[in-house]
Amino acid sequence: MNQRELRTVVADTSALVSLAVPHTVSEYDTETAPDPFQYLLTTCHVSVPPTVVSELRDLTQYRDVHGAAASTLLTAGDHYTVDDPYERPETPDSRPTFGLDDGETDGIVLGNARDVDGFLTDEFGGTNFALVHAALDGPRIVPTPRLLREYARTDHLTTDEARTLITTIGSHRSWENSPYVAQLVARLE
């Protein structure tokens, strides 16, 4: 992430849910261990499009870790900005077709319009990573596991704490078999 610290980000639903997972699982205590969601909200100005809030509301119907994480995120709504990208004069009047879901697409449009430092996403495998990367005009793509590694690199987390968070979150977000995540963890050494 080019040594520049993230000060402004637009986040998609999946990235926010991943960062909130530690709040919802018994094997991790955010009271005594680092809380990546709280750290993001206190070090960055975080914006989301209304579609992300809608997707979070939809997720709360599930009685699992993802639904609990979505509830946590909605409760923290005073700590991030909801901004409709299509109400800005410099954006298209309607949603473009990037081949991504609505939350990601609206987040990319918002990130490009607001000239933020990064677009926080869980897209790091398959063709969606390339689609997100191609659609971003200015912000850099910041996959959630990479954000955690960067927190270790910049001494906001120890390498052990970053590894624990990646493992904890990853076991609930299907990161365990990802070559991308494995490479990031290996580079924590």
Side-chain angles (χ1 to χ4, degrees), residues 80-154:
Y80 54 84
T81 302
V82 179
D83 189 356
D84 189 336
Y86 305 108
E87 291 181 358
R88 296 173 156 274
E90 68 273 17
T91 61
D93 293 333
S94 62
R95 182 176 290 124
T97 304
F98 294 143
L100 301 164
D101 74 32
D102 293 348
E104 291 166 337
T105 299
D106 292 355
I108 290 167
V109 172
L110 180 60
N112 288 340
R114 293 202 54 182
D115 191 32
V116 296
D117 298 325
F119 177 66
L120 188 58
T121 183
D122 265 11
E123 292 298 346
F124 49 82
T127 58
N128 282 358
F129 180 87
L131 293 172
V132 171
H133 192 268
L136 288 170
D137 289 333
R140 64 188 186 261
I141 186 171
V142 183
T144 312
R146 175 74 186 257
L147 176 70
L148 297 171
R149 192 194 85 181
E150 287 301 305
Y151 284 166
R153 188 189 61 74
T154 57

